[in-house]
Structures are given as C-alpha cells and as structure tokens.
Amino acid sequence: TEKNREGYAPLYDPFETFFSRYVYRRVQHCFNRPISSAPGAELTLKERCTDDRNWTFRFTGTERRCINLGSYNYLGFAGHSTHDEVAAAARRYGLALCSPRAELGTTRLHHLLEETTAKFLGVEAAIVVGMGFGTNTLGLPGLLGPGSLALSDEKNHASLIMGLRLARATVRVFRHNDVRHLEQLARAAIAERKWTKIVIVVEGVYSMEGTIVPLGAMVALKRRLGLQLYLDEAHSVGALGPRGRGVCDHAGVAPADVDVLMGTFTKSFGAAGGYIAGSAKLINWIRQYGHAHTYAHAMSPPVAQQILAAMRLLDEEEGRRRLRALRENTHYFRDQLRRMGVVTLGHPDSPVVPVLVYTFSKMAATVERLTESGVATVGVGFPATPLNKARIRFCLSASHSRGQLERCVEAMARAVRELGLDYSRQPR
Ligand code: PMP
C-alpha cells in the first residue's frame, strides 16, 4: 500500500488492488450473508448477486428459506417462546441501562442470574458480563500480569489470545489437546523458578475442530504440579454432559476442581454475554479487577431474562428432552457424514461438526451448493484455520427434526459427489 508524502502508511487497506478486491468479494460472497428471520432450525437468507462494475453486492429482493446448520443454537433457544418473559423484562427495564454494573447498571435480574448461574454450574459464585468476547479480554488481565505464564492451547479462541496479550502475560503454546506437551512446557517453566503464577488456558469444545478438552488429565496435571486452570466453555456449557452443565459434567470432573470457569450465553442459551464462575473469593476479585464490571455496559436486562428462562427449562423435563435430541441429532449427522466418506473432525459428542474440504475454493463452492439446496451453513478458512485446512462447519441443534436433517444429508451427499469431497477414496 502507498505511503503518504511524509512516509506514513494509510490507516487501512482500501481493498483497491485486484487481489485484495478479489479476496474481499470471495469472502463477502460466502460470509456476511444477511438473514431476515430468527436463526432457529430454519432461517431466511436474503439473496444477493454480485455487481461487477463496482465490486459490490446488490440484493435481488428475493429470500430463501433454509435449514439452519450454521448458527450455534445448540439447544434451540434462539427464537424460542421464552420471549414473552423477555418482552416483559424489556417493558420493565428497557433495553439498555446506560451504565456499567458498578454504577447504576445492576438490576434484580443481574443478581438473580449470577446466583442461578453459580447454582447451575455447581460453584459458589459467578459474575455476568454483557459480551462473551469481552468476558475473556477484560477478565484475563484481572487475573494474570507481567510475571505470569499462560500455557495456552494452540487452538484457543481469539478472545483468549487477546485477553492474554492485554494482560501482558508471557504465553507459551502447547499442541492442541496434547497433555504430554503441556506437561513438558509446565515442567520446564517450573524449573525456571521465575513465574509468579502458571495458568493453563483451554476451551471445553473447540469450535473449529469439534474436539473436547481432555479435562480429567488436565485437572490431574495441574493438581500434581500446583498450577491453575482457566476453562472457556463457550461451546460446551448447556450443550455437553448428561445435565448440560458442560465439559465437567461430560468428563465427570467436579466443577470446583477448575479454578476459573468461563462461558458465554450466546450459544446454548440463545442470548448474549458471558460469565466467569468459581469460588466466591475469585468472583469478588474479578468484580474489582476485571474491567467489565466497572468500565463496560451492563448486560441488557431482557437478555438476562432470556438466560434465566433457558436455565429454568434446562432443569425441567423439557431441558432433558432437548439435551437428548441434541445428542441424537449429533450422532445421526456424524454417522451419515462418515458414510459419505468425507473427513469429519472432532469428538462424537461434539455438536460442532467440521468437515475438511481443504481448499478455499472448495469451501466457497460447497457453501454455495448447500445454500442452493436450501441448507445454510458456514465455511471456515484462513486465517481461522491453516491455509490448506479449509472446512465446512455444521452446527447441530436440538430443534432440528429428523426430516430436516435427512434433507441436509441429501444436499451434502449431492455436494460431495459433484465437488469431489469424498477423500476416503482419494489420496490426501
Ligand atoms: N470464547 C470462545 C471459545 C468462543 O468461541 C467465542 C465466540 N464464538 C467467544 C469466547 C466469544 O463469545 P461471544 O461470541 O459470545 O462474544
């Protein structure tokens, strides 16, 4: 990019070179697709077409109803009838509190949600934050500082990486889910005798991989070596374990054995925001030193109400039914994909099901073919994945009927045939 007369680079790349224009359009074409309905088991996509004269898109005015395999609506609470209670909360408190929690931004719903979240997870206390991403980026600097060492899984989410950078902690990365590599790094760090604290930072379910953290082994290691454990359950809370309590529930680990339980409400609960949960002392500390409580807008009250309603349902027969449906749908869909010979990644219980298509062009073509067949899904490529590991990411939901999933399987089988995605019969 061109520098100005004084030699300074521009603030941003205006996408004016051919290559960046091309990439921009490719990317725009399979991502950022506007929807005009709730992201339930089905959703409505607004159709667009490219306008070659000025490299942009035009809406065609038509809409396409698709089965939705792209949203993280694991338990089907997006667009659910809890919305009567949510509307009542909006009428009473409004949508915004125009204040952080520490000033005039705390309502009865926030207290209730914090108590309920702690009880739901089986720990002493919780703090809730208006944004999931900000829960990590603002929470981690409250716990780690320049003398701290974070041992971070290589597949950790951007919000964890950014939080660790903001904390100015030293970060060493271990191979994904590799407890032996983690132990090597931990032992080497202990031998250095210079760290004020050593914290293992991992996720429950990894959203690009569909893998599940080996939590039992991690807890055993951190106990043996006297380390701490920070666990991000954005994709596992609500969705995993016989009671939907997340990866502790799935692995049979006591929640109190994890030092910091973090999660978001944006997936299983069909809401927004995040939480940090653990001992009462931890939460008092985060309230003081995690910047979210003091400097960021409080969670919107109707959002808090939505989460409360979803948590209440999860403790009733309705919740158990949804958890069973999610598990059955996940197993059915993974099974069908395996039969097609595509390369699926991850744990059999993970409702995120990535399918490797390797190249960016196959990723874009698959997303387009599926959309034409009435299946909305998400392609993921570089930089979220390695350059040659582009994938399609399917997200299962308790709200999908078997008939809907059968239609998705048919559409995928067609795309596999037409685009050559059956890598079981091809050299990779
Ligand atoms: N942590 C993880 C592991 C995530 O995958 C995400 C987002 N998908 C976040 C944190 C950020 O959460 P939110 O989207 O709720 O801001």
Side-chain angles (χ1 to χ4, degrees):
T1 46
E2 269 182 37
K3 296 186 174 161
N4 69 7
R5 219 177 27 195
E6 289 75 22
Y8 297 117
L11 204 49
Y12 56 87
D13 176 352
F15 292 122
E16 272 168 0
T17 63
F18 175 79
F19 182 73
S20 58
R21 275 183 163 194
Y22 176 77
V23 169
Y24 182 65
R25 195 168 66 146
R26 262 340 257 169
V27 166
Q28 285 289 318
H29 199 52
C30 36
F31 304 120
N32 299 326
R33 300 191 72 131
I35 65 174
S36 58
S37 70
E42 294 189 355
L43 55 61
T44 307
L45 284 179
K46 287 177 84 70
E47 294 276 0
R48 298 178 304 180
C49 64
T50 48
D51 185 335
D52 281 326
R53 268 169 308 129
N54 56 10
W55 298 83
T56 55
F57 289 96
R58 275 185 295 109
F59 288 110
T60 59
T62 53
E63 297 190 325
R64 188 190 287 274
R65 194 75 183 151
C66 289
I67 302 166
N68 178 11
L69 282 177
S71 308
Y72 306 121
N73 179 26
Y74 300 128
L75 293 176
F77 284 120
H80 181 264
S81 55
T82 48
H83 289 180
D84 281 348
E85 290 170 65
V86 172
R91 273 195 299 275
R92 175 161 185 178
Y93 298 105
L95 296 179
L97 291 165
C98 304
S99 174
R101 287 288 303 281
E103 293 168 15
L104 294 174
T106 298
T107 68
R108 187 187 64 82
L109 289 177
H110 293 89
H111 284 147
L112 192 57
L113 179 59
E114 290 180 339
E115 269 168 40
T116 309
T117 302
K119 218 178 281 168
F120 181 83
L121 296 169
V123 291
E124 285 175 7
I127 175 173
V128 299
V129 175
M131 185 192 193
F133 199 99
T135 311
N136 278 332
T137 51
L138 302 174
L140 281 163
L143 294 169
L144 283 81
S148 321
L149 175 68
L151 299 173
S152 173
D153 189 287
E154 68 173 320
K155 300 292 184 190
N156 272 346
H157 188 258
S159 57
L160 291 168
I161 296 168
M162 210 168 276
L164 292 172
R165 285 187 192 156
L166 276 178
R168 288 180 294 146
T170 299
V171 179
R172 292 184 186 159
V173 175
F174 61 93
R175 286 191 291 271
H176 179 51
N177 271 354
D178 187 337
V179 182
R180 277 176 53 191
H181 189 212
L182 169 62
E183 179 162 0
Q184 277 170 16
L185 293 187
R187 287 194 184 278
I190 291 164
E192 290 169 352
R193 295 171 161 271
K194 65 175 184 183
W195 304 109
T196 50
K197 42 186 131 173
I198 302 180
V199 184
I200 302 168
V201 182
V202 292
E203 294 181 26
V205 168
Y206 288 83
S207 63
M208 297 296 155
E209 311 299 316
T211 43
I212 299 181
V213 67
L215 191 65
M218 295 262 175
V219 166
L221 178 73
K222 73 120 202 166
R223 279 213 172 141
R224 228 176 320 124
L225 301 183
L227 315 180
Q228 322 266 344
L229 183 60
Y230 185 106
L231 172 65
D232 177 337
E233 292 234 61
H235 292 271
S236 46
V237 69
L240 220 60
R243 295 161 57 246
R245 264 48 173 183
V247 76
C248 291
D249 195 17
H250 188 256
V253 166
D257 283 345
V258 178
D259 302 276
V260 188
L261 288 168
M262 177 272 167
T264 69
F265 298 117
T266 37
K267 283 99 184 166
S268 296
F269 301 95
Y275 65 81
I276 292 180
S279 70
K281 285 182 182 157
L282 167 81
I283 300 311
N284 280 340
W285 179 269
I286 297 270
R287 228 179 266 289
Q288 196 64 31
Y289 293 106
H291 290 334
H293 194 78
T294 316
Y295 297 112
H297 185 269
M299 175 182 279
S300 172
V303 169
Q305 182 60 65
Q306 161 71 14
I307 305 162
L308 281 165
M311 278 188 183
R312 191 188 62 230
L313 283 172
L314 263 175
D315 269 341
E316 296 172 3
E317 177 47 32
E318 173 64 13
R320 288 185 282 280
R321 188 194 64 72
R322 284 177 192 240
L323 280 162
R324 266 195 313 275
L326 177 63
R327 232 179 342 265
E328 283 165 16
N329 284 348
T330 299
H331 292 167
Y332 168 78
F333 197 68
R334 280 185 171 273
D335 213 43
Q336 295 295 318
L337 288 176
R338 228 181 348 265
R339 284 174 198 205
M340 285 174 214
V342 295
V343 183
T344 54
L345 302 179
H347 191 284
D349 291 341
S350 157
V352 182
V353 186
V355 170
L356 275 184
V357 295
Y358 298 99
T359 66
F360 200 86
S361 50
K362 280 201 179 183
M363 178 198 81
T366 311
V367 170
E368 274 166 38
R369 283 298 157 88
L370 289 175
T371 311
E372 281 159 18
S373 313
V375 177
T377 187
V378 173
V380 196
F382 185 79
T385 72
L387 197 55
N388 60 350
K389 295 278 188 320
R391 61 204 61 183
I392 306 299
R393 196 187 53 203
F394 296 107
C395 293
L396 279 302
S397 170
S399 61
H400 290 131
S401 68
R402 184 51 60 89
Q404 284 171 326
L405 290 183
E406 280 167 0
R407 271 155 56 208
C408 295
V409 168
E410 275 167 33
M412 185 59 184
R414 222 169 18 251
V416 169
R417 270 195 313 275
E418 290 171 8
L419 299 172
L421 306 178
D422 175 356
Y423 288 95
S424 66
R425 298 200 204 112
Q426 297 173 19
R428 284 185 208 163

